[in-house]
Amino acid sequence: MNTASVGQLVHDLYAEVDAAVAAAGPKCDASGRCCRFKEWGHVLYLSQIEAEVLLSAAPPYQSPVSPDFCPFQKENLCTAREPRPLGCRIYFCDPAYQEVGNRIMESALSKLKQLAREHDLDWRYAPLHVFLNESASGKGEVQSIPSTRIPLAIVS
């Protein structure tokens, strides 16, 4: 498996998603609600592949990570903007965008699952805090990665 090409494929998917979201034109008022999960009644789920991309480039964070909010949000802005997962790229509070956002997410997840199958990568989907806490547990990687698994090399 060429991990550099997998990392590039994830970044290519992110660019495709960013373009689809921009074309849909959701409104963002930079309130930071998207990152305050408990307060606004939602959970940020991501795949194992996205977690590896995020963890390869995200700034340091304090652990344990709470399921209540994103540790990368500072003053209502994201400090992990470039490696952020699909949910962060696609979710907007704009009520007029919800249906379009759901379609973009379903399409992107389908493509991400296909990428995992094509490269014989395990599929795991869990809340953000689960992956971050596993990574911070002292092993330096997400605990559930099988020992035969090669971490993704991320290409910027």
Side-chain angles (χ1 to χ4, degrees), residues 98-115:
Q98 299 309 305
E99 195 172 311
V100 173
N102 288 340
R103 284 195 302 268
I104 294 170
M105 183 60 122
E106 289 301 319
S107 174
L109 282 175
S110 177
K111 291 175 183 180
L112 195 60
K113 286 179 183 179
Q114 182 63 35
L115 187 151

Side-chain angles (χ1 to χ4, degrees), residues 18 25 68 74 88 110 112 115 134 145:
D18 290 346
D68 297 348
K74 304 292 182 224
C88 300
S110 177
L112 195 60
L115 187 151
E134 287 176 357
I145 298 174

Side-chain angles (χ1 to χ4, degrees), residues 12-121:
D12 292 348
L13 176 59
Y14 284 174
E16 180 183 326
V17 163
D18 290 346
V21 169
K27 182 185 79 148
C28 177
D29 61 8
S31 67
R33 293 183 300 228
C34 51
C35 301
R36 297 192 310 268
F37 310 134
K38 182 177 180 181
E39 181 181 346
W40 293 95
H42 57 267
V43 176
L44 173 60
Y45 280 86
L46 65 157
S47 68
Q48 178 86 31
I49 298 168
E50 293 170 280
E52 291 175 15
V53 169
L54 175 65
L55 288 165
S56 72
Y61 57 92
Q62 195 167 21
S63 65
V65 175
S66 166
D68 297 348
F69 57 90
C70 180
F72 303 117
Q73 183 192 53
K74 304 292 182 224
E75 299 177 15
N76 291 343
L77 297 175
C78 181
T79 62
R81 187 148 178 85
E82 189 59 37
R84 72 195 188 286
L86 291 171
C88 300
R89 292 170 185 277
I90 297 170
Y91 178 82
F92 283 79
C93 299
D94 182 352
Y97 165 79
Q98 299 309 305
E99 195 172 311
V100 173
N102 288 340
R103 284 195 302 268
I104 294 170
M105 183 60 122
E106 289 301 319
S107 174
L109 282 175
S110 177
K111 291 175 183 180
L112 195 60
K113 286 179 183 179
Q114 182 63 35
L115 187 151
R117 282 191 296 273
E118 288 172 357
H119 294 274
D120 197 29
L121 300 172

